[in-house]
Amino acid sequence: MAKKRPPAPKPAPLPSRQDLLAYIEENPGAASKRDVSRAFGIKGDRRKALKDLIRELEAEGLIQRGRRRRLTAASQLPEVTLVDIRALDDDGDPLARPVDWRGDGAAPAIVMLPERGPRGVLGVGDRVLARLKRIAPGQYEGRTMKRIPRPPDRVLGVYEKVGGDGRIVPTDRRAKSEFLVDDDGGAQPGELVLAETTSGHRMGLPRARITERLGATMAEPRAFSLIAIHGNRIPVNFPTDAIAEAEAATPVTTIKGREDLRRVPLITIDGADARDFDDAVWAELDPDHEGGWHAVVAIADVAHYVTTDQPLDRAARERGNSVYFPDRVVPMLPEALSNNLCSLVPHQPRPCLAVHMWIGDDGKLHRHRFLRGLMRSAARLTYEQVQSARDGYPDDTTGPLTETIIAPLYGVFEALNRGRKARGAIDLDLPERKVVLGDDGRVAAVSPRPRLDAHRLVEELMITANVAAAETLEQRQTAAMYRIHDEPAAEKISDLRDFLKGYGLKLAAGQHPRPIHFNRLIEQVAGKPHAPAVNTAVLRSQAKAEYSPENVGHFGLSLRRYSHFTSPIRRYADLLVHRALIRALELGKDGLPDGADADFVTLGEHISMTERRAQNAERDALDRYVTAFLEGRVGATFPGRISGVSRFGLFVTLDETGADGIIPRRRLDRDATVDEAGFEMTAPGWVIRLGDAVEVRLREANPTTGGLVFELLSGGTETTVKRKRRAKKPPARRRKKRN
């Protein structure tokens, strides 16, 4: 009897839409139709049904085809993608955006890895074909496969005459060549100009046409700020309708709809060169809780004058923040507001948004209450004045205020400082530099910026007010723009641990150390020669702070929720928080309008970008001022520390001035190698690590580009690795000539 054939296996069922999408998302760039068929056991005629399902998902925009027609989720990027470099993060790593992003919401974040080979670092505006690696949802690492040449659409530089031809010498140190000028627009040699590039080359040089004379020469100190402003595309001129709106504003003198704070002796404490005063403070002992404090932080009511989607608001949103230079400020708001009606000048009534805070002896915020008020500043003080009064040296202004106002402020500061230490906020010791200009506008001195308890007093009160704002918005379930600082990435922690091994140090707590673990490390090296190196390495390991409606907390401050509330004159994020508070607490009709939070994700990205843009511009100007200050000292020697390590050379920060420059690779051992994390350079016989003390000689100083070039004289650590001698080749045998 013939054996019965076993029944044919049932064909595998077609995957559901959800299963298919999940598979493609888990295998980005690796899923072809054949891969999908194998994964779900689809064979024979059912492949056509699978093909139809894939087409259906494509038509709906849920999936897309990448390299070699492999499938990816629409919210994901193909393995090979064309990207534009949009910004640099705090570590100088390029941040990119896909050129053709069609997904919903914000484009994924792409951090480009260090360049390999002699191509030079990537800069803002570069376009590259990148190979991407997905490291987390919405986050990618990219490595450059090929640079896509894209001439700049404009050039900022110095106009010169060379052999009868006009040329522009770019101020960007990354520029590869000068530009030949087709139309000089009446510019004079040495003048700072803006030009737009034109097609074609002549004499081997790209061409440009001057479109704007900036009214300064490189001989004038103000040129340094102008270069930074225009080089970073900082908006300078306000639209006419925004100026008209600001100038039409009138002072608030009535108490209607506000609480009267004019009898509270609030004071402002700012730098001696401050031009706007947007926060005032006051404190007293809490009569209801022994050891506790009652403090008031009052902030200029900018939302009263700048209403949503009006000309002033649109201009402020575009700028994102004020930008500060040694010789000027590019304000977020016109001076009619920033230096007048919104500035808490002494003895003048000013509208404010204020918060009462009750703080325990342990520095914890127990309760708080926001209000809209009318205040009158009792005094405008500087940090130095307040500190001198605290130290027993009051002047005529601070004398009458020392016991009644200044002493209670230091009392609440001491409590808040205890709270800061208890929660473990990271406390890095990284000195800042300050450029002091003389009457002629030139640099008179470059010195470390002082860090007084008076600075920390104001900082801690502002942090506490910011926490109160975030808590209120969260409790009221109102849309908020948070100031977020994510925990460090695992690979950054791994790199930091490798670096610390060189100093015999360890970072505890596995893959996810908390801020308190970094503080223990910083305390462990305090006062030791390698303390600057460790502080710098810890800073480089941290994520960058950003603005976002999605709260992930603030890692550096060790806070679960945090927003920016205290500087609405100079930060658009703070203005958004003011409007949100006004809406949540029903403090007026000029709060956040319905639906305004719909674009908070995009808006958070924008104001995070404008913040980085401002930081880059401020740093650019500072570099040029300091370079001009050192221009006359070429050939001199200086002590400094290694502030960066790359395959292009060693970056050095001078101890005396904080000036930054480079020791080019060509001036170092040609056999030197750099570790992947960029912490050390090693060559036969020596190793130089981030933070090492060095002595250098200044070889070049170029104020036009802000570039300093050094020569290494001494520093680093000798190692036992000896340079291998090259074996001498035996002399070639001469062949006997044959007759």
Side-chain angles (χ1 to χ4, degrees):
M1 185 175 177
K3 290 183 179 179
K4 288 185 178 181
R5 289 184 179 180
K10 290 183 179 181
L14 205 64
S16 68
R17 292 163 58 92
Q18 290 76 13
D19 289 343
L20 180 54
L21 282 171
Y23 174 79
I24 292 171
E25 286 181 358
E26 291 169 6
N27 297 274
S32 65
K33 282 191 294 184
R34 180 177 295 178
D35 295 327
V36 175
S37 297
R38 287 176 179 169
F40 292 98
I42 305 299
K43 298 179 180 179
D45 295 340
R46 297 187 65 77
R47 287 179 179 166
K48 183 180 184 305
L50 177 64
K51 185 177 180 181
D52 291 340
L53 177 58
I54 290 173
R55 284 179 174 172
E56 181 182 320
L57 293 176
E58 276 188 280
E60 294 177 23
L62 297 175
I63 60 175
Q64 59 190 2
R65 294 184 184 272
R67 189 167 176 255
R68 296 179 182 173
R69 296 186 61 76
R70 292 183 179 272
L71 302 168
T72 62
S75 60
Q76 295 178 344
L77 298 175
E79 181 185 2
V80 176
T81 302
L82 193 64
V83 302
D84 284 337
I85 308 303
R86 292 297 185 91
L88 301 178
D89 68 11
D90 295 339
D91 295 333
D93 293 329
L95 303 176
R97 176 188 170 89
V99 171
D100 188 20
W101 170 246
R102 298 179 182 176
D104 294 331
I110 305 171
V111 178
M112 298 298 294
L113 296 173
E115 291 286 85
R116 293 172 173 168
R119 291 181 294 198
V121 296
L122 291 173
V124 175
D126 286 344
R127 176 171 288 183
V128 300
L129 191 65
R131 187 179 298 281
L132 303 183
K133 176 183 176 183
R134 187 167 177 256
I135 57 176
Q139 296 182 10
Y140 292 81
E141 281 182 346
R143 191 174 292 282
T144 301
M145 297 174 62
K146 180 182 178 181
R147 295 200 183 202
I148 308 301
R150 187 171 64 163
D153 58 349
R154 67 172 203 163
V155 181
L156 173 65
V158 180
Y159 177 69
E160 300 289 359
K161 281 278 194 178
V162 179
D165 288 318
R167 295 193 185 185
I168 296 174
V169 181
T171 58
D172 186 345
R173 69 186 74 172
R174 297 168 303 180
K176 304 300 182 185
S177 69
E178 298 176 355
F179 285 76
L180 204 61
V181 176
D182 291 332
D183 180 358
D184 64 19
Q188 299 300 310
E191 199 169 7
L192 197 61
V193 297
L194 271 173
E196 62 182 20
T197 56
T198 56
S199 60
H201 287 67
R202 186 163 71 86
M203 299 168 54
L205 297 176
R207 303 165 76 153
R209 179 178 66 86
I210 292 176
T211 57
E212 187 176 352
R213 299 166 62 188
L214 300 183
T217 67
M218 286 306 299
E220 301 175 65
R222 66 193 183 103
F224 304 141
S225 294
L226 285 173
I227 291 171
I229 289 167
H230 290 279
N232 289 278
R233 305 194 181 210
I234 305 291
V236 177
N237 299 316
F238 284 96
T240 304
D241 52 359
I243 292 288
E245 186 182 353
E247 291 180 348
T250 57
V252 173
T253 56
T254 176
I255 200 65
K256 184 179 179 181
R258 297 179 179 272
E259 293 188 32
D260 194 346
L261 297 178
R262 287 175 292 183
R263 294 184 181 277
V264 179
L266 290 148
I267 61 171
T268 62
I269 308 174
D270 295 277
D273 56 353
R275 297 169 175 85
D276 50 58
F277 318 115
D278 52 8
D279 56 80
V281 294
W282 171 83
E284 66 174 355
L285 281 167
D286 184 352
D288 300 324
H289 296 87
E290 186 176 352
W293 296 92
H294 168 217
V296 176
V297 172
I299 308 298
D301 190 357
V302 177
H304 172 79
Y305 295 102
V306 183
T307 52
T308 302
D309 209 29
Q310 293 303 302
L312 267 176
D313 179 55
R314 291 193 290 270
R317 184 171 58 226
E318 178 194 8
R319 291 164 183 247
N321 42 255
S322 298
V323 192
Y324 295 85
F325 302 102
D327 65 332
R328 73 186 74 199
V329 175
V330 180
M332 187 180 79
L333 299 172
E335 289 190 4
L337 294 182
S338 60
N339 288 10
N340 187 10
L341 294 181
C342 290
S343 188
L344 307 180
V345 294
H347 315 303
Q348 295 295 321
R350 288 289 184 263
C352 65
L353 197 60
V355 56
H356 286 276
M357 301 182 295
W358 287 267
I359 299 158
D361 187 53
D362 57 0
K364 291 183 179 178
L365 179 62
H366 293 301
R367 62 188 178 98
H368 55 268
R369 181 176 71 87
F370 282 89
L371 61 96
R372 221 166 178 181
L374 188 67
M375 61 158 287
R376 183 186 291 117
S377 171
R380 177 269 197 266
L381 304 180
T382 67
Y383 295 113
E384 292 75 12
Q385 276 182 296
V386 172
Q387 191 63 53
S388 292
R390 176 64 172 176
D391 294 340
Y393 304 99
D395 58 23
D396 291 343
T397 304
T398 57
L401 308 175
T402 300
E403 293 302 320
T404 56
I405 297 177
I406 294 175
L409 286 171
Y410 274 90
V412 73
F413 160 62
E414 289 165 3
L416 291 172
N417 198 37
R418 284 192 289 273
R420 179 188 182 96
K421 291 178 179 178
R423 71 174 188 268
I426 296 178
D427 195 8
L428 290 169
D429 181 16
L430 295 168
E432 297 181 26
R433 54 183 165 156
K434 179 182 179 182
V435 168
V436 180
L437 302 182
D439 294 337
D440 60 355
R442 301 184 185 280
V443 181
V446 180
S447 58
R449 189 177 292 275
R451 179 71 170 159
L452 307 173
D453 276 352
H455 291 94
R456 299 171 64 212
L457 179 162
V458 173
E459 181 180 294
E460 289 303 320
L461 281 168
M462 297 304 115
I463 288 173
T464 310
N466 288 336
V467 170
E471 285 184 357
T472 298
L473 294 177
E474 189 173 278
Q475 290 165 0
R476 299 291 178 126
Q477 298 182 338
T478 300
M481 185 64 75
Y482 292 98
R483 178 65 166 179
I484 62 170
H485 182 226
D486 209 348
E487 63 180 34
E491 59 269 24
K492 293 271 190 179
I493 295 300
S494 177
D495 291 341
L496 176 61
R497 284 200 169 97
D498 290 342
F499 170 74
L500 294 173
K501 286 177 185 176
Y503 294 103
L505 298 169
K506 292 183 179 180
L507 180 64
Q511 292 297 313
H512 299 284
R514 305 307 304 157
I516 193 169
H517 299 117
F518 290 105
N519 276 341
R520 287 173 184 166
L521 182 64
I522 294 165
E523 291 167 5
Q524 190 178 347
V525 300
K528 296 181 180 179
H530 51 278
V534 173
N535 275 269
T536 302
V538 168
L539 177 65
R540 288 182 55 176
S541 73
Q542 303 301 305
K544 64 181 182 298
E546 298 176 311
Y547 293 106
S548 172
E550 300 298 327
N551 181 31
V552 300
H554 197 293
F555 182 84
L557 292 174
S558 194
L559 293 168
R560 292 177 59 190
R561 59 192 66 81
Y562 191 65
S563 65
H564 271 170
F565 156 76
T566 55
S567 296
I569 289 179
R570 62 184 180 90
R571 292 189 306 226
Y572 193 76
D574 302 53
L575 178 55
L576 292 173
V577 170
H578 277 228
R579 290 173 179 161
L581 287 167
I582 292 168
R583 176 190 176 106
L585 300 172
E586 299 180 354
L587 297 176
K589 296 181 179 180
D590 45 6
L592 203 64
D594 291 339
D597 58 321
D599 64 345
F600 264 27
V601 170
T602 303
L603 190 51
E605 290 180 347
H606 170 71
I607 57 180
S608 296
M609 179 279 292
T610 62
E611 179 185 48
R612 291 191 295 271
R613 180 179 69 184
Q615 291 168 346
N616 290 338
E618 291 166 356
R619 186 167 55 245
D620 286 351
L622 207 59
D623 285 346
R624 287 182 172 85
Y625 272 108
V626 175
T627 302
F629 182 63
L630 294 174
E631 190 177 14
R633 299 179 68 182
V634 171
T637 60
F638 302 89
R641 289 194 178 272
I642 300 299
S643 55
V645 179
S646 82
R647 66 182 180 281
F648 309 109
L650 297 169
F651 295 93
V652 178
T653 299
L654 301 185
D655 294 344
E656 180 185 346
T657 59
D660 296 309
I662 189 171
I663 306 170
R665 183 65 175 268
R666 67 179 182 274
R667 296 187 180 275
L668 298 164
D669 195 307
R670 66 179 180 177
D671 295 328
T673 59
V674 176
D675 69 320
E676 251 185 64
F679 281 122
E680 65 181 33
M681 179 180 284
T682 307
W686 58 262
V687 60
I688 290 185
R689 295 185 178 91
L690 182 73
D692 277 358
V694 293
E695 186 177 17
V696 295
R697 177 180 287 118
L698 180 60
R699 304 290 303 204
E700 300 173 30
N702 186 344
T704 301
T705 62
L708 294 171
V709 178
F710 296 112
E711 174 189 0
L712 180 66
L713 300 179
S714 64
T717 305
E718 291 186 6
T719 66
T720 56
V721 180
K722 301 296 184 184
R723 186 187 302 275
K724 292 182 180 178
R725 287 190 173 185
R726 295 184 180 179
K728 292 184 178 180
K729 292 182 179 179
R733 290 184 179 180
R734 294 184 180 181
R735 298 179 63 185
K736 290 183 180 180
K737 291 182 180 179
R738 292 184 178 180
N739 295 329

